[in-house]
Amino acid sequence: MTINDDGALEARFPQLLRLTDPDDPRVADYTSLTDVALRRKLEPERGMYLAESSKVLRRALEAGHRPRSFFMAEKWVTDLADVIDAHPDVPLFVGGEDVLEAVTGFHLHRGALAAMQRPEPLELGHLRASLPDRPRIAILEDLVDHTNVGALIRSAAAMGVDAVLVTPRCADPLYRRAIRVSMGTVFQVPWTRIESWPESINTLQDAGFVVAGMTLREGAITLDELVAEDHEKLALVFGSEGPGLTQATEQRLDRRVTIPMMGGVDSLNVAAASAVVFYATR
């Protein structure tokens, strides 16, 4: 069998549904993917997120997440045959590239998309109980760029950070771009959203964490000095792009920390800074 044989794919995959109409209501999960403001509201409301590319999709499934449907060009079906076979009751939408682009708003060139059921948020108490004896966590305060969120989580995974907390105004780690930039590591690093911030700093301090915020303001100790203190429980806070940490957060910190710069460089992108901090404190 080849993918060009008439009816061969339908015979091989009974759940396959061919798309010819971009307005088909069955693929509403995939419409207007380039409208960020709409998707930020739509996806959490529907209890879903989108996994883009074969690698990211496989990592989501390995993490135990459940697919709602698959959406791809015909040429990708055989590459994902094992995934499709493992979920025989999940609809498989297949269409020409022009139809898929009309649905999503962009050219789908990374393989497959899948609408995934969004997992229930982790309870902060349960997350804390699962941490090791010498935990190291990261807190993302009001980061608005999904690329930075994804890159920071990827660095956290690579450097063995035990958990990530995001504040109420922080971008969604399960938004398509954040997931893609993280290369699916957002599925392996435990994370949850903090409902009360910066008041939650007090809760972390009561649990024995030293809460250290990265800042460029005067009076901060260096990253090397923080590492030399060798804290048993460390929470590292990263502020939003541009303004950095809020004043209310800085007032509650145990440590204010800076990365010394050379070569006339005054600062690093927050994702790059996080990689430096995670490596130094590993």
Side-chain angles (χ1 to χ4, degrees):
M1 180 190 78
T2 70
I3 62 172
N4 294 318
D5 292 338
D6 290 340
L9 279 183
E10 284 84 346
R12 173 69 176 79
F13 304 104
Q15 67 270 52
L16 187 147
L17 301 166
R18 289 195 179 273
L19 288 175
T20 57
D21 180 6
D23 296 321
D24 191 325
R26 296 175 298 177
V27 292
D29 283 349
Y30 301 95
T31 57
S32 304
L33 298 191
T34 55
D35 189 333
V36 177
L38 173 65
R39 301 303 303 193
R40 281 175 177 165
K41 180 175 184 292
L42 186 64
E43 292 180 17
E45 281 184 353
R46 291 183 178 174
M48 60 160 289
Y49 69 89
L50 289 170
E52 180 184 2
S53 85
S54 302
K55 179 179 288 187
V56 168
L57 171 55
R58 290 181 184 278
R59 285 188 171 175
L61 295 172
E62 288 169 2
H65 295 193
R66 295 186 293 109
R68 293 158 59 109
S69 64
F70 302 114
F71 180 93
M72 66 191 74
E74 187 173 282
K75 65 183 178 181
W76 297 107
V77 173
T78 52
D79 289 342
L80 284 164
D82 59 321
V83 170
I84 298 167
D85 285 339
H87 301 87
D89 298 326
V90 176
L92 166 62
F93 296 108
V94 173
E97 292 185 0
D98 56 338
V99 175
L100 302 185
E101 185 171 352
V103 172
T104 62
F106 69 99
H107 179 62
L108 185 62
H109 63 276
R110 294 184 179 89
L113 282 173
M116 305 293 296
Q117 198 68 36
R118 187 176 285 254
E120 289 296 319
L122 289 174
E123 294 286 343
L124 184 58
H126 292 165
L127 189 150
R128 285 206 314 265
S130 68
L131 294 174
D133 291 338
R134 291 177 60 92
R136 189 171 47 128
I137 66 174
I139 302 172
L140 283 55
E141 182 185 69
D142 301 350
L143 269 66
V144 298
D145 187 285
H146 291 97
T147 298
N148 283 335
V149 171
L152 194 150
I153 290 176
R154 186 177 182 183
S155 294
M159 302 300 163
V161 172
D162 298 299
V164 173
L165 307 180
V166 299
T167 64
R169 292 197 296 264
C170 184
D172 183 8
L174 289 182
Y175 185 70
R176 179 171 56 91
R177 179 178 290 276
I179 294 172
R180 187 175 71 242
V181 172
S182 82
M183 293 301 292
T185 55
V186 67
F187 306 131
Q188 72 186 60
V189 179
W191 68 272
T192 195
R193 192 174 291 276
I194 307 169
E195 295 300 326
S196 178
W197 182 262
E199 293 78 11
S200 293
I201 291 177
N202 298 336
T203 303
L204 290 167
Q205 290 166 332
D206 290 344
F209 280 89
V210 171
V211 182
M214 304 307 299
T215 182
L216 296 174
R217 296 189 177 104
E218 293 183 3
I221 65 173
T222 68
L223 179 57
D224 288 337
E225 290 173 317
L226 177 69
V227 171
E229 291 177 349
D230 193 26
H231 298 291
E232 289 197 1
K233 294 184 176 183
L234 184 61
L236 300 160
V237 189
F238 299 89
S240 63
E241 303 88 347
L245 297 173
T246 63
Q247 185 174 2
T249 294
E250 289 222 18
Q251 290 173 346
R252 288 174 164 83
L253 296 174
D254 297 305
R255 300 287 186 277
R256 296 165 63 237
V257 184
T258 190
I259 302 173
M261 301 288 167
M262 295 176 283
V265 177
D266 60 356
S267 65
L268 295 175
N269 166 275
V270 65
S274 73
V276 173
V277 173
F278 295 155
Y279 181 79
T281 58
R282 69 196 187 285

